[in-house]
Amino acid sequence: ITFNPTKKAELNLLYADKRLNSSVELFKNNKPDLGLITLTKAEKYLESAELQMTDDSELYKKIGLSSLKHREVIENEILPITPEDLRPQVIKTSSISKEVYTKVKEHMLSKGLVPPVNPFDSN
């Protein structure tokens, strides 16, 4: 437990990344329902990290990079093995990482900082 907003954001980011990895394993082990629940929690932790951002440019960068990594993992590792009936929910959940990146990017640009490059922009 911490009262420091930067530490809270970093903890939420850690939890988000751990849950994302757990979700991948659950999908791979043919437990897609539990994988989807875990993925949803991962994205909520990522969103919480973004909401707790402070004026720490390194934290902005970490959250931005993490949101891009979440999107990459969802699109390249989870979606290809997702059963058809769960695909719409996984796609909807992936929108959280897209929104987090957009918010971080806008915040960084408003502070005169260079946001991480989004490799998905060309899509």
Side-chain angles (χ1 to χ4, degrees):
I1 295 177
T2 181
F3 294 105
N4 181 325
T6 300
K7 294 282 186 200
K8 281 184 185 181
E10 288 174 347
L11 278 174
N12 280 320
L13 201 52
L14 176 66
Y15 299 151
D17 293 344
K18 286 184 178 283
R19 292 228 185 220
L20 178 66
N21 290 329
S22 296
S23 177
V24 170
E25 290 306 311
L26 288 165
F27 273 97
K28 285 181 179 177
N29 291 318
N30 205 24
K31 297 179 182 175
D33 292 326
L34 191 53
L36 177 60
I37 292 167
T38 305
L39 177 62
T40 302
K41 289 180 182 179
E43 298 308 284
K44 291 296 181 182
Y45 275 119
L46 181 64
E47 190 174 47
S48 291
E50 181 267 321
L51 291 172
Q52 295 170 337
M53 281 192 312
T54 60
D55 282 336
D56 181 346
S57 60
E58 283 303 309
L59 183 60
Y60 296 151
K61 187 176 178 181
K62 283 181 189 177
I63 295 172
L65 289 171
S66 185
S67 66
L68 291 171
K69 185 64 177 179
H70 278 235
R71 184 171 173 192
E72 176 187 358
V73 169
I74 292 168
E75 290 184 9
N76 296 336
E77 294 183 42
I78 294 176
L79 267 176
I81 58 175
T82 300
E84 284 301 315
D85 60 323
L86 296 179
R87 286 181 73 79
Q89 292 168 291
V90 171
I91 291 168
K92 182 180 178 187
T93 302
S94 74
S95 69
I96 295 173
S97 59
K98 294 175 188 176
E99 291 171 17
V100 167
Y101 176 78
T102 300
K103 289 177 184 176
V104 169
K105 178 182 173 183
E106 289 171 359
H107 201 79
M108 289 183 79
L109 290 172
S110 74
K111 300 285 185 183
L113 302 170
V114 178
V117 176
N118 183 353
F120 301 101
D121 273 346
S122 62
N123 293 344

